[in-house]
Amino acid sequence: MPGQTSAGAAASASLDDQIASLNALISTLARTRSALPTLVRTASSTSSPSDRAQHYRAASTECQAAVRSLGEQLDALESVFQAVEDSERRDSKGIVVRAPAPNRPASTPATDALSWSALGKALQGPGAGRSGKGETVEVYSPLFPPPRSHAEVVDLTRGWQAKHPRTRVDVAAGPSEQLHELRFVARGALHAHVALRWARGPDGDERACEADYVTCHALSEDKLPFETSDFAIFRTLSNQAMAIIDGCRVKDVGVPQISLRDFEARREEIKEQLLIAATEVGFFTLVDHPIPLENVDAAFDLAERFFSLSDEVKMKTAWNGKNMGYEKNAQIRPSTGYPDPKESMQMGFQETEDQEKAWPAEEDCPGFRQDALRFMHEARNLSINIMELFAEGLGLPKDTLVEGTVSPEGTDKSDSMTTMRMLKYHDCTGKDFGEDYLRAGSHADFDVLTFLFQREGQDGLEVCAGKEITTPFGVGDVWTPIKVERGAIVINVGDQLKRWSDDRLKSTFHRVRCPRPGQNQGARHSIGLFNQARRDAVIQGPKKLYPKITGGEFLAQAMKRNYEAAMKKDKLETYEVKEETLIANKDHQVSGTGLEKVVAAAA
Ligand SMILES: O=C(O)CCC(=O)C(=O)O
Ligand SMILES: [Fe+2]
């Protein structure tokens, strides 16, 4: 690439001097302006002729000096213009290229790897979704309602054409009824191609809209070296292309998938991926983890075995107000005001009287306690690895989150608040729930890190990812479904880790939707490990953004907030809780993830 001219370089170097001389010029002009009226006043004054002559001489000397220096400085200005002119050059295409401003950090020299298409890819930002072909792509939700008719397509393209006059919009017919595609070509010496695709789901809902590609290429791409002007135009076009994409997406980056393959060797890489996922989305899935599939299947079998017991037997270990035990149709989310249609069994790591009473009797569910504990420890061991990476990534001592959540062996672990929860959402077959009925109302978890196991074919989990929640409980926001993938564990950051990270990591709202017509109406099973801060662990981020708070205090505050939100109707501006629901639920307490009905006398 041709270099900058030497005159241009000299001009850049002396730019400060030139600015100084311009400033001097301005002050001379000001002095001259004030000297002239003095001169005129002197000439017309009524004092004696000799005084008048003396004043006149003094004023005129000053005025002439000012005018002379004005002339010199105007001459000097010529060199400023010359320098500006020298700082430009024309490349072989006759296009004027400006020299870089002084003091600007040197740009990275172009290498072979920096091809147009590589630049195009770089412009797409960190890829976060996966295409059908397994490639990483960014996934967007359309901000505009995807057009449903030809007339709507015409309106949409006209609108964009008006907003981006240099952009040609080609509408390509989708490969199928469901898949639609818009292609843009930003015209210039280079072309920037952008293709947006979106699909409509089988039940008519609009699915992810993805920017398929953003590429910019010259008309003669094979001719190297590229001219500086090519890069300038490239940048303009790419910005324009990105503006189009930004204009039609909600910042929904999808839910990243992170592989734990070769964990030790890839520790640093995985740490970085975790940090990015937790910072941008708050949700991610883990694959290639050490928990064998058959162990997950066995845990689900165990849960099914437990849930198939009679209610009478299950209620022997009813929920005890401390996140242990069984409950059914009892947890009320403030966002919905009705109990989640589900049953659940919660199990803690404590070796206390409370937990002892919350384990089903051996004769009622043989092997349950032993098998559940094995799986709980297996899941927690994995969570320990992940929590260590998060602590390191956040600049906290490596053990901070692990020591903050795991009670020491050899104690009764009575300060442990971590819980594993087996969930079973009721079978919906033959029941007509309204369009927006939820199996789990929208909420953010209170804990540090949640590990959620799901079963294939039992979808429904949705996250409000990549977008700030705009209402206190995320009602009315845009939701991204997380399709269950066999072997993938869904992990999300909870409010405690958000605080421990000084708000660097996101605690993202999520919910479980009821199946829509045509979807699996059967029960949905899930198992979550909710890593919570120990009762006496002190939560504080490296920057001390918030005052210290213990795990116990944190939970009490969160419960109070949830309870008040659900119980005081006047605070519920964004969602409705019917009066009769409030009355019917006045005997409910708040649990780790919402409200629970007080079903047992246990405190
Ligand atoms: O069951 C699920 O998929 C999600 C459960 C959940 O978010 C919770 O219990 O906090
Ligand atoms: Fe949750």
Side-chain angles (χ1 to χ4, degrees), residues 29 31-32 179 200 319 324 350 410 423:
L29 271 170
R31 254 193 313 131
T32 313
L179 189 63
R200 198 160 292 148
W319 187 77
M324 299 165 194
Q350 294 189 13
L423 292 143

Side-chain angles (χ1 to χ4, degrees), residues 333 421 423 425 443 445 452 461 510 512 524 526 530 593:
R333 309 279 184 182
R421 188 174 201 187
L423 292 143
Y425 300 89
H443 65 280
D445 290 351
L452 189 80
L461 180 63
H510 52 285
V512 182
R524 170 186 158 88
S526 65
F530 297 88
T593 49

